[in-house]
Amino acid sequence: MSLDVRPATDDDVDAVVDLFRQYLRFYGQEVPDAEARAFLTARRDAGDSVLLVVVLEPEGSEPEASAAGRGVVGFAQSYPTWSSVSLSRSWVLNDLFVSPAARGTGAARALVQDTCRRAKEAGAIRVSLATAWDNVAAQGLYESEGFVREEHFHRYAYVTGA
């Protein structure tokens, strides 16, 4: 199997919406297709985010994989921003999801690596992310790719209710 990471196109939207809804469900959120589609396309089209997909395709004479394990099998969405402390560009890798059927193929690692490469090419000095305390598999991936767990800051959130 080969992996190809590239920016999401209009042809990828249906697959990405399905993966995005699975991702949101993982975090206890349920949204209709239309809302997920509107959010993703608005962020991408406005240049607010960098939306990448990973495509898994069989090579040459490899046995055919199941339909669920081929095509667009994952996505990553990053938000370019600024770091005031470093006076530099920074990216936030906000969303990353690979379909259960494609896990173990290297798809998540390919998304992380490509996100970091693109951030560096865009002049960002860092890519930051957050993951759940109990998402040990993701933590292992991020640490193996050189991400370092933050020890100096506590993260806080204020929910406005808007």
Side-chain angles (χ1 to χ4, degrees):
M1 293 291 200
S2 67
L3 294 168
D4 179 37
V5 178
R6 59 176 170 71
T9 66
D10 288 339
D11 292 338
D12 299 323
V13 170
D14 288 339
V16 175
V17 166
D18 179 57
L19 292 165
F20 186 56
R21 291 187 70 225
Q22 291 178 58
Y23 168 78
L24 293 173
R25 213 171 285 127
F26 177 81
Y27 285 105
Q29 302 297 315
E30 192 66 46
V31 299
D33 275 359
E35 286 182 37
R37 179 181 311 279
F39 179 83
L40 288 170
T41 56
R43 297 294 65 74
R44 182 197 67 179
D45 295 349
D48 296 339
S49 74
V50 177
L51 183 61
L52 302 175
V53 294
V54 61
V55 179
L56 181 63
E57 294 295 341
E59 289 182 15
S61 62
E62 286 188 28
E64 289 296 315
S66 70
R70 293 183 33 230
V72 174
V73 297
F75 79 97
Q77 182 165 229
S78 299
Y79 294 99
T81 188
W82 293 95
S83 168
S84 298
V85 173
S86 64
L87 307 176
S88 301
R89 272 297 219 185
S90 176
W91 279 26
V92 177
L93 175 53
N94 205 72
D95 311 310
L96 185 135
F97 185 82
V98 172
S99 70
R103 292 184 184 156
T105 63
R109 184 174 304 280
L111 284 165
V112 169
Q113 290 174 346
D114 202 69
T115 296
C116 292
R117 180 186 62 77
R118 289 172 188 273
K120 183 175 181 177
E121 287 174 358
I125 62 155
R126 84 173 56 82
V127 175
S128 60
L129 60 84
T131 193
W133 285 93
D134 60 351
N135 195 345
V136 178
Q139 292 169 28
L141 168 64
Y142 300 138
E143 290 172 8
S144 74
E145 286 299 319
F147 284 77
V148 177
R149 187 180 310 225
E150 182 57 57
E151 301 288 336
H152 302 289
F153 297 95
H154 291 286
R155 293 188 49 199
Y156 292 90
Y158 176 80
V159 179
T160 64

